[in-house]
Amino acid sequence: MARYDRFPDGLLDVPAPELWRHLPGPSLFSLDGRQSDALFLSVLLHGNEDTGWRAIQRVLKRLQGRVLPRPVLLFVGNIAAAKAGVRTLPSQHDYNRAWPGTTHPATPEARVMQEVVAITARARLFASIDIHNNTGNNPHYACVNDCGDRHLQLARLFGRTVVYFEEPVGVQSAALARLCPAITVECGRPGVEAGVAHAVELIEAALSLQHFPAHAVGDTEIDLLRTFAIVKVPADATFSYDGSAADFAFRGDLDHLNFAELDVGVSFGRSTGGRRLEVASADGTRTDYFHYRDGEIRLAQRAIPAMLTLDPDAVRLDCLGYLMHRIGRDGRRLADDRG
């Protein structure tokens, strides 16, 4: 990993796919600021998700020639994948599954993240923000791995919708949550101006905030959801969205189910040959999340999907999507969310 103690002005206008011409690989920038506690930012953990990079460029351009409100530790991640315009290169381990807590701690990517965490652990940290895009039709929302008040106060800077998750492991927000308030933010599809503007607002708010509010975050102040299952297509299965023959023929508007409160019986599409989706529960329990009757894939319990995607590469590299339910501040599932 390369380290820098300044952000060259020449990088302010370099698009993510061209960073390989200027940086040798994953890079950590340590930028001075007026306050003592630093804001940690990570961008481009997935090479084709450039909203975070564009947002930090815009923030630093606005503050060009001035001292930052607080120090910034900026980690710029998968530059090689950004060059190729893909999430992760075939030879790589996912940059957002390689942080401490990963199930693959011996990979080159995991060693880089271990180094980053070791450096940040020696700093005085105010907060951490990991900025992402996604491929499906989703609103902007924040994710946390800890429902403590300071984590939720940080998430509220981005919006009301907050998702608590435990799986997948090896993610940046879980690793940094042990050191400071930490969130992941999902800014919609890449290339959309609204996502960049929203990320800029969040970064500027976090830079300017003197301290987190002392009061607890109430149930009425946020819409808190919890991921309880990850849905995957079996690696050897075929799938389609246009009705063509495949092991799984998903409905063409599947991603428009995201963040909708779905009742039992809602169809996700059809399966053939008795094939079933792989569903991993966050708490390790075995539950039937789908019914397979007459070839139709239907929800077996009420759920709120997130990140359902029509992107075949995203399905193969990560998952088809997630299932969530609403929870209160005590972490318990809300009664009116049960199917």
Side-chain angles (χ1 to χ4, degrees):
M1 180 183 67
R3 295 185 64 182
Y4 302 89
D5 59 7
R6 59 181 296 273
F7 192 89
D9 291 343
L11 288 182
L12 290 173
D13 296 303
V14 175
E18 297 299 316
L19 277 172
W20 66 276
R21 300 182 185 276
H22 304 266
L23 300 174
S27 300
L28 182 65
F29 295 84
S30 300
L31 311 179
D32 292 334
R34 289 194 300 273
Q35 299 188 55
S36 59
D37 296 349
L39 175 65
F40 183 86
L41 298 170
S42 54
V43 301
L44 289 175
L45 294 190
H46 296 141
N48 57 353
E49 300 177 13
D50 69 346
T51 285
W53 173 245
R54 293 173 60 196
I56 193 61
Q57 284 180 306
R58 191 171 300 179
V59 170
L60 294 178
K61 189 175 290 189
R62 288 179 181 178
L63 294 170
Q64 196 171 9
R66 289 181 280 169
V67 178
L68 298 177
R70 66 170 63 252
V72 169
L73 288 170
L74 169 64
F75 179 63
V76 183
N78 201 336
I79 291 169
K83 177 185 178 182
V86 297
R87 174 187 174 103
T88 304
L89 294 176
S91 60
Q92 296 175 324
H93 188 62
D94 191 316
Y95 269 45
N96 204 31
R97 303 293 185 269
W99 294 78
T102 178
T103 55
H104 298 82
T107 63
E109 293 78 16
R111 287 193 288 271
V112 170
M113 306 318 166
Q114 290 162 12
E115 183 182 1
V116 173
V117 172
I119 293 168
T120 56
R122 295 194 293 268
R124 294 183 57 178
L125 292 180
F126 176 71
S128 168
I129 300 171
D130 183 26
I131 304 175
H132 284 264
N133 295 108
N134 47 67
T135 58
N137 181 56
N138 294 278
H140 297 174
Y141 63 96
C143 301
V144 297
N145 302 97
D146 185 316
C147 286
D149 283 308
R150 292 200 305 160
H151 298 271
L152 295 180
Q153 295 284 12
L154 178 61
R156 286 182 68 241
L157 292 179
F158 193 65
R160 283 187 56 91
T161 303
V162 182
V163 175
Y164 168 73
F165 73 98
E166 299 160 289
E167 296 282 347
V169 297
V171 297
Q172 189 269 24
S173 56
L176 271 291
R178 301 165 191 165
L179 305 175
C180 64
I183 60 173
T184 300
V185 291
E186 296 286 349
C187 300
R189 291 186 173 97
V192 178
E193 170 58 27
V196 178
H198 199 174
V200 168
E201 290 176 3
L202 172 63
I203 295 169
E204 292 182 334
L207 284 174
S208 301
L209 189 66
Q210 297 290 317
H211 54 78
F212 290 104
H215 69 271
V217 178
D219 283 338
T220 60
E221 296 181 75
I222 57 173
D223 297 320
L224 187 58
L225 304 105
R226 179 184 179 186
T227 299
F228 66 87
I230 304 173
V231 184
K232 296 188 176 187
V233 174
D236 64 341
T238 58
F239 60 95
S240 68
Y241 299 94
D242 59 2
S244 58
D247 295 324
F248 296 94
F250 297 117
R251 51 191 289 177
D253 62 347
L254 188 69
D255 64 334
H256 284 264
L257 300 179
N258 287 328
F259 284 82
E261 302 197 36
L262 303 182
D263 288 323
V264 173
V266 170
S267 175
F268 275 42
R270 297 185 61 81
S271 68
T272 59
R275 299 304 301 263
R276 296 189 170 221
L277 296 169
E278 296 176 351
V279 185
S281 173
D283 60 8
T285 60
R286 297 183 63 85
T287 306
D288 290 329
Y289 297 103
F290 293 98
H291 290 313
Y292 299 83
R293 294 173 181 166
D294 300 322
E296 200 79 16
I297 309 167
R298 296 186 183 275
L299 273 177
Q301 59 174 280
R302 293 187 67 187
I304 303 171
M307 297 181 75
L308 291 173
T309 181
L310 307 185
D311 185 324
D313 290 335
V315 173
R316 292 300 188 196
L317 289 171
D318 191 23
C319 65
L320 180 67
Y322 299 84
L323 299 177
M324 309 181 295
H325 54 64
R326 296 189 181 278
I327 60 172
R329 280 300 316 278
D330 60 2
R332 295 183 180 181
R333 186 171 180 173
L334 299 181
D336 61 0
D337 185 48
R338 294 187 181 277

